[in-house]
Amino acid sequence: MDKLKKAKRQRISVDRIVEGMRHANGPIHPRPLVALLDGRDCSVEMPILKDVATVAFCDAQSTQEIHEKVLLEAVGALMWHSISLTREDLDKFKALRIIVRIGSDFDNIDIKAAGELGIAVCNVPGYGVEEVADSTICHILNLYRRTHWLANTIKEGRKLYGAEQIRDAAQGAARLRDDKLGIVGLGRVGVAVALRAKVFGFNVLFYDPYLPDGVEKSLGLTRVYTLQDLLYQCDCVSLHCTLNEHNHHLINEYTIKQMRPGAFLVNTAHGNLIDEVALAVALKDGRLRGAALDVTEVEPFNWTTNPLKDAPNVIITPHSAWYSDQSCNELREQAAGEIRRAITGRIPESLRNCVNKEYLLDGNASWGPLEPSVRAPSHELNGNTPTPPSFRYTPTHVPPPPIISTPPQTLTMAPVDHSETPTCPSQSLTPNAMSTPISNDTTSPQSVNHMSVAPGNTTTCKMETETVPAVAVSEQ
């Protein structure tokens, strides 16, 4: 116990941490601040952003938990799906210019309000297409072949002998070939599911009113022009459309009655596409033979309160269809890349996936290039300029500052004499500390009061276990 007490480090104040980010002969680096709002791990983002921005994490569930420094100075924000940004929340950010949703959905952000406030909102639509399509096919196979329930039967200790017992346990298992699979929304995932389903022998139909004629011929699919026709004809329906004001509860009591008796339903798109109360009734009544959902109306799913808790023949997975180790890394890399393009280029012209561009262009705060202080050329990174950085956007009706025409290498940190770098009482700052990705070992940063610093593998200037250079922000 005494050893543990001795090992515990004294907490370092915010001023001490900021001081640890200074060079011995100058002020804090005038780099723009980018914050991960609802997460802690910045190990993928750091190598992409470390030479153009200071990366912070907040691990917040609401804007009330975000540190004041982030609200005042953050130019960019990365966010998953566990935090929402309304107009009131967006108003709290005084310098924000870009939000990147780490994922394809952006219904947790008021994109219109963001555009009117001069904030670009981007997503990452291309990630996890293969994973979601594969997961969808897995759900379909589980429903048809009842693999999930048969595996649970064995796990529960039941011993099945002979054809009769197998028949009783596998009652409802069906053949896939020549059944009709209906796809609602033929986007990236919808196409990937259709191509996979054809291999299994499905006759694939789709409904998508936004696609031009002829798409069905290029893919060898059958097109229907009303949702009612799709529901009436298909033995299994899989949802792959985006959520909007027109399709909330697309599958409801009325549309379920239009489906074939004994049909299957699969949803790996959006939980609010299905009225779960109506689905539970249909499953209990036998109107539908089974359902597999990776997304639900309320997440995380709660078996004790959800209407589907007593429904038979339902499979629920925890919004995990998108995940693989590869897709997760690709997702985060693409999100960080969008932030980098915003810092080093023009907004919104340099952005690949801006989802509120029409609101930005219609507003009065459409932006020019980033100001020189935000671009952070190397002479400023050396700490020779006493003027603090400015992170405000430049409205187009004001003549924008000249674009700094410098070689790419001048935008990175110039060499620094680390022998003069201030150190913590117990550890010294090494050159690798500014560039090594965050590790997942016991030296990973902990969210503590006010601000901490996310580490590289070489740790320095710790608050508990936090290190320079990526500022981790939290408030208790």
Side-chain angles (χ1 to χ4, degrees), residues 128-144:
V129 170
E130 297 165 277
E131 285 76 10
V132 177
D134 292 342
S135 297
T136 302
I137 294 296
C138 287
H139 280 317
I140 293 172
L141 293 175
N142 268 309
L143 291 174
Y144 268 85

Side-chain angles (χ1 to χ4, degrees), residues 20 53 102 237 251 264 423:
I102 310 176
V237 175
I251 303 301
F264 294 117
T423 61

Side-chain angles (χ1 to χ4, degrees), residues 52-83:
V52 296
T54 297
V55 179
F57 70 78
C58 302
D59 200 22
Q61 301 299 310
S62 69
T63 52
Q64 294 178 346
E65 301 175 12
I66 297 177
H67 194 276
E68 183 180 6
K69 181 177 179 64
V70 172
L71 296 177
L72 292 177
E73 298 183 16
V75 175
L78 293 157
M79 58 184 291
W80 295 89
H81 60 277
S82 56
I83 190 171

Side-chain angles (χ1 to χ4, degrees), residues 10-30:
Q10 183 181 1
R11 287 191 173 185
I12 304 173
S13 68
V14 174
D15 294 336
R16 286 284 303 281
I17 293 175
V18 173
E19 184 66 27
M21 297 173 62
R22 295 177 184 268
H23 291 309
N25 60 344
I28 303 173
H29 304 321

Side-chain angles (χ1 to χ4, degrees), residues 186-431:
L186 198 71
R188 301 174 184 86
V189 176
V191 170
V193 171
L195 297 178
R196 286 160 170 74
K198 289 179 65 178
V199 176
F200 285 94
F202 277 107
N203 295 319
V204 182
L205 291 72
F206 76 92
Y207 167 67
D208 193 327
Y210 300 101
L211 293 181
D213 289 340
V215 173
E216 66 278 7
K217 296 181 179 180
S218 64
L219 296 172
L221 309 178
T222 301
R223 184 172 193 167
V224 295
Y225 289 89
T226 66
L227 178 63
Q228 183 178 5
D229 285 344
L230 183 92
L231 299 177
Y232 178 76
Q233 294 185 46
C234 292
D235 304 287
C236 179
V237 175
S238 186
L239 305 181
H240 300 285
C241 51
T242 58
L243 180 68
N244 57 46
E245 64 272 18
H246 305 296
N247 60 16
H248 182 266
H249 283 180
L250 181 72
I251 303 301
N252 51 51
E253 181 181 3
Y254 175 74
T255 52
I256 287 175
K257 290 179 180 178
Q258 297 175 347
M259 298 176 68
R260 278 190 173 185
F264 294 117
L265 179 64
V266 178
N267 185 15
T268 56
H270 298 270
N272 287 317
L273 293 173
I274 297 178
D275 181 349
E276 292 175 355
V277 174
L279 175 60
V281 172
L283 290 170
K284 292 176 184 177
D285 294 345
R287 175 89 190 171
L288 296 182
R289 201 179 347 171
L293 312 176
D294 184 62
V295 287
T296 54
E297 291 193 78
V298 178
E299 294 181 357
F301 183 85
N302 189 336
W303 275 113
T304 61
T305 59
N306 194 280
L308 294 168
K309 62 180 180 180
D310 298 322
N313 299 329
V314 62
I315 299 173
I316 307 290
T317 51
H319 202 153
S320 57
W322 64 274
Y323 183 82
S324 70
D325 292 342
Q326 296 89 336
S327 68
C328 187
N329 285 336
E330 289 174 1
L331 168 63
R332 294 171 62 184
E333 287 170 357
Q334 292 176 35
E338 194 79 314
I339 291 284
R340 185 182 180 92
R341 283 187 289 274
I343 293 174
T344 60
R346 297 178 62 93
I347 300 175
E349 290 86 351
S350 299
L351 304 177
R352 290 181 183 172
N353 298 296
C354 183
V355 299
N356 67 338
K357 188 177 294 185
E358 66 272 26
Y359 302 118
L360 283 172
L361 298 180
D362 290 343
N364 295 322
S366 182
W367 304 325
L370 286 171
E371 297 180 13
S373 59
V374 177
R375 294 284 296 273
S378 59
H379 69 277
E380 292 184 346
L381 295 181
N382 278 328
N384 296 327
T385 304
T387 307
S390 171
F391 299 122
R392 299 293 181 180
Y393 63 80
T394 305
T396 53
H397 59 270
V398 177
I403 301 176
I404 298 177
S405 179
T406 55
Q409 61 268 24
T410 62
L411 296 178
T412 61
M413 179 175 290
V416 178
D417 184 1
H418 292 282
S419 63
E420 299 182 5
T421 306
T423 61
C424 294
S426 60
Q427 293 178 312
S428 63
L429 181 64
T430 67

